[in-house]
Amino acid sequence: MKILFLNYDVRDACSHYRSAGIAPNLSLQSGAEITVSEYKSYNGLKGYDVVMLQRPCTADALLICEEAKRLGVKVWVDEDDNLLAIPKHHINYDAYSGLERQRCIKGCVKLADVVTVTNKALQDAYMPYNSNTIIVPNALMSDKPRRKANDKNTIAWRGGDSHRLDLMSVATAINAATMRYRNWTFAYMGNKPVFLPKYPNVEHILPMSVKDYMEYMYNFAPKVLQVPLVDDEFNRGKSEIAAIEST
């Protein structure tokens, strides 16, 4: 069996957990020949039995799904976020909320032979558009032993700009804790929280590649990882990768 995995960026975290990162082991276990590529490099479905589209949301992605159905190629759609419920305050709201974009997202899901999601909340969100929506949880392949927390008193947060409001929603409490627990280091990996004064026990760790981040996180081993999320429909569909990365 030959499978084509299509991603927007094979280097991002989504691909690491759901596509490019799992392809070698999945190929080994299943015996399938898996080709990992990006939408921008798409060159047709000739010779493939299955095409997996990660987070398809464009007119081009919908055309690929339609082409696959014409050719008898099975369509597998993987969704790791609720793209049907992006809140207005989210940095990507304008990119996903338009009628045309929503038509493409739903169209790809409807055409899929199977839709895989990370949890029950996402299954409930996509099930109305495809009854064959199944849960495939995130996991992390590693030959390293389970790590122990670092001796240093560190509270870490990791995330990008899309989580700015999530972090700011607890800014008052974080500021109070930072001032109170001066013997703890509050480390922020990725996005720099501009709302925090320059406390001596606050440090910012610059963004890095997913591969480097995984290695860094394993060795960094903070005692606490804080993951504040605004309570909305979109965030209720978040998976458990923060827990995976911190244990």
Side-chain angles (χ1 to χ4, degrees), residues 96-110:
Y96 289 102
S97 61
L99 293 177
E100 175 62 14
R101 185 57 59 93
Q102 286 293 304
R103 181 188 74 84
C104 294
I105 293 169
K106 294 173 183 176
C108 291
V109 170
K110 289 176 181 178

Side-chain angles (χ1 to χ4, degrees), residues 42 45 51 63-75:
Y42 175 71
L45 295 171
V51 58
L63 287 173
I64 293 172
C65 291
E66 292 170 347
E67 178 187 0
K69 302 306 284 187
R70 289 195 302 271
L71 296 174
V73 175
K74 297 295 184 181
V75 176

Side-chain angles (χ1 to χ4, degrees), residues 16 24 44 51 54 80 85 95 113-114 124 136 144 156 164 170 179 193 243:
H16 176 80
V51 58
Q54 190 174 57
D80 74 324
D113 294 283
V114 63
D124 291 343
V136 179
K144 294 181 178 180
R164 186 194 317 162
V170 291
M179 288 187 291

Side-chain angles (χ1 to χ4, degrees), residues 6 8 26 45 67 123 131 144 171 182 188 207 221 223 235:
L6 288 176
Y8 288 103
L26 181 60
L45 295 171
E67 178 187 0
Q123 185 182 46
S131 60
K144 294 181 178 180
R182 297 299 181 98
Y188 295 87
K223 285 187 177 179
N235 277 340

